[in-house]
């Protein structure tokens, strides 16, 4: 298996939806998530928004609501692969800026009514930069604006004892979870006891996939299951903190917040959406 340790074109192509070829990434917000994003922003009379990254569903909502949009993205591959994932008529109101989220107040001259970022904080791998990023978001946001983000957390709803790889495989084979639930949960929680550091909140994806390669070789994973799991492949680290850490981070940065949690699919348990307002 080709080792992928950063977000590059191979990752985007391997995760793109085979039916649509529109760059949909498994684990990106679904229709229920996007409805929460839309509800948080659609009443604005000052439609100027910043998107952290290139998330297609969020950009489409902003187009539908006729917002003027800036996308901040550091990866050339992400920009090349995802920039034309929404209609050309929408892109005329978009400006794409290449640069680091950690330097957004230096790179951007405007204040934004909305800052939107889906799953951005798992890519920030240490406590100091987590704090820096939330301050940077606060710095570019209007005093009456909103920061809306879907986080990946060890939530109070998450039952880790029932998210081990053995249990997830049984649930998938008996039709109790679908392939999206299976693949995403296997990567993040399936080997939590072996690959997650509870002091740094870092998941070592490399360890996760080494285990699954061994299982496939030993016949514990079928080819179908191996293919589903490998479609989520990433060989670097991700930062998945407890909910209490995340909410304290928001509070310390001067935000009040509403927490939204969908129900139905098992990945909703650990992917709450936070609608944050400056105090």
């Amino acid at each position: 298996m080709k080792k992928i340790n950063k977000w590059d074109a191979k990752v985007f192509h391997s995760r793109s939806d085979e039916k649509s070829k529109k760059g949909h990434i498994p684990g990106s917000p679904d229709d229920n998530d996007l409805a929460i994003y839309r509800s948080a922003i659609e009443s604005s009379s000052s439609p100027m928004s910043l998107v952290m990254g290139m998330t297609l569903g969020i950009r489409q909502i902003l187009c539908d609501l006729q917002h003027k949009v800036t996308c901040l993205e550091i990866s050339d591959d992400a920009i090349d692969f995802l920039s034309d994932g929404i209609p050309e008529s929408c892109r005329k109101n978009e400006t794409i800026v290449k640069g680091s989220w950690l330097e957004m107040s230096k790179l951007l001259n405007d204040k934004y009514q909305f800052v939107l970022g889906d799953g951005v904080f798992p890519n920030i791998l240490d406590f100091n930069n987590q704090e820096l990023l939330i301050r940077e978001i606060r710095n570019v946001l209007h005093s009456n604006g909103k920061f809306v983000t879907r986080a990946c957390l060890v939530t109070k709803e998450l039952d880790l004892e029932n998210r081990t790889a053995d249990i997830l495989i049984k649930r998938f084979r008996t039709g109790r979870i679908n392939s999206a639930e299976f693949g995403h949960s296997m990567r993040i929680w399936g080997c939590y006891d072996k690959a997650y550091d509870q002091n740094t909140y870092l998941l070592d994806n490399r360890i996760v996939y080494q285990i699954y390669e061994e299982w496939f070789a030993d016949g514990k994973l079928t080819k179908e299951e191996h293919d589903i799991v490998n479609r989520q492949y990433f060989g670097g680290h991700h930062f998945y903190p407890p909910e209490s850490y995340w909410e304290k981070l928001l509070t310390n940065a001067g935000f009040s917040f509403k927490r939204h949690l969908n129900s139905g699919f098992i990945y909703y348990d650990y992917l709450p959406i936070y609608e944050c307002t400056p105090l």
Side-chain angles (χ1 to χ4, degrees):
M1 179 172 57
K2 178 71 173 177
K3 302 302 180 187
I4 300 171
N5 301 308
K6 64 178 183 177
W7 292 99
D8 60 14
K10 294 184 179 66
V11 174
F12 294 114
H13 283 280
S14 70
R15 294 191 176 196
S16 64
D17 185 83
E18 293 179 356
K19 294 180 180 179
S20 70
K21 299 297 184 183
K22 295 294 185 181
H24 176 265
I25 309 298
S28 61
D30 65 15
D31 289 344
N32 293 324
D33 298 317
L34 293 172
I36 294 174
Y37 276 107
R38 186 180 187 111
S39 175
I41 67 176
E42 64 184 352
S43 63
S44 171
S45 60
S46 179
M48 190 168 176
S49 295
L50 172 66
V51 178
M52 301 169 65
M54 301 288 293
T55 305
L56 299 179
I58 291 175
R59 291 162 59 207
Q60 185 62 57
I61 289 172
L62 295 173
C63 169
D64 295 342
L65 297 175
Q66 299 182 327
H67 284 216
K68 182 180 179 182
V69 178
T70 299
C71 297
L72 180 60
E73 173 60 61
I74 199 169
S75 166
D76 288 323
D77 290 311
I79 292 170
D80 291 343
F81 188 66
L82 298 172
S83 61
D84 63 353
I86 61 174
E88 185 176 357
S89 59
C90 294
R91 300 198 300 273
K92 68 182 180 181
N93 289 323
E94 274 193 344
T95 300
I96 297 174
V97 177
K98 184 178 184 297
S100 169
W101 300 328
L102 297 173
E103 298 180 336
M104 64 174 68
S105 62
K106 298 177 183 176
L107 295 169
L108 306 170
N109 296 320
D110 295 311
K111 292 279 188 177
Y112 297 91
Q113 187 68 25
F114 299 106
V115 177
L116 309 171
D118 193 80
V120 297
F121 277 83
N123 299 299
I124 308 302
L125 302 182
D126 64 85
F127 297 113
N128 289 338
N129 281 328
Q130 289 270 324
E131 294 172 6
L132 173 59
L133 181 54
I134 199 69
R135 290 198 305 269
E136 284 289 286
I137 292 168
R138 184 68 177 81
N139 287 339
V140 302
L141 194 64
H142 270 300
S143 59
N144 63 345
K146 284 184 184 178
F147 167 50
V148 188
T149 189
R150 190 173 60 136
C152 188
L153 305 172
V154 183
T155 64
K156 56 182 177 288
E157 289 84 3
L158 180 62
D159 180 4
L160 286 169
E161 290 184 0
N162 285 309
R163 297 300 170 89
T164 64
D166 286 332
I167 290 176
L168 290 168
I169 291 169
K170 290 177 183 177
R171 295 178 74 181
F172 179 66
R173 290 177 181 175
T174 55
R176 287 179 286 169
I177 58 175
N178 64 28
S179 61
E181 293 172 288
F182 175 67
H184 201 256
S185 295
M186 282 284 281
R187 180 177 69 78
I188 299 178
W189 308 117
C191 298
Y192 177 86
D193 60 330
K194 301 177 181 67
Y196 182 80
D197 187 323
Q198 297 196 40
N199 294 312
T200 63
Y201 307 149
L202 290 177
L203 179 75
D204 188 338
N205 292 283
R206 177 185 55 84
I207 294 174
V208 173
Y209 282 93
Q210 284 178 345
I211 292 169
Y212 294 154
E213 284 301 295
E214 292 170 4
W215 284 17
F216 180 56
D218 291 341
K220 291 183 68 175
L221 283 175
T222 67
K223 184 179 186 305
E224 178 193 12
E225 292 159 354
H226 182 257
D227 289 346
I228 292 169
V229 168
N230 273 351
R231 197 165 175 221
Q232 292 278 327
Y233 183 80
F234 183 72
H237 290 79
H238 281 127
F239 186 92
Y240 297 131
E243 182 178 298
S244 58
Y245 166 86
W246 166 250
E247 293 187 351
K248 184 177 180 180
L249 187 73
L250 294 174
T251 300
N252 289 347
F255 284 105
S256 62
F257 56 83
K258 296 179 183 177
R259 178 182 184 269
H260 303 272
L261 195 70
N262 280 312
S263 61
F265 298 117
I266 65 171
Y267 47 72
Y268 288 150
D269 287 353
Y270 54 89
L271 294 170
I273 296 175
Y274 282 79
E275 182 180 347
C276 310
T277 306
L279 293 168

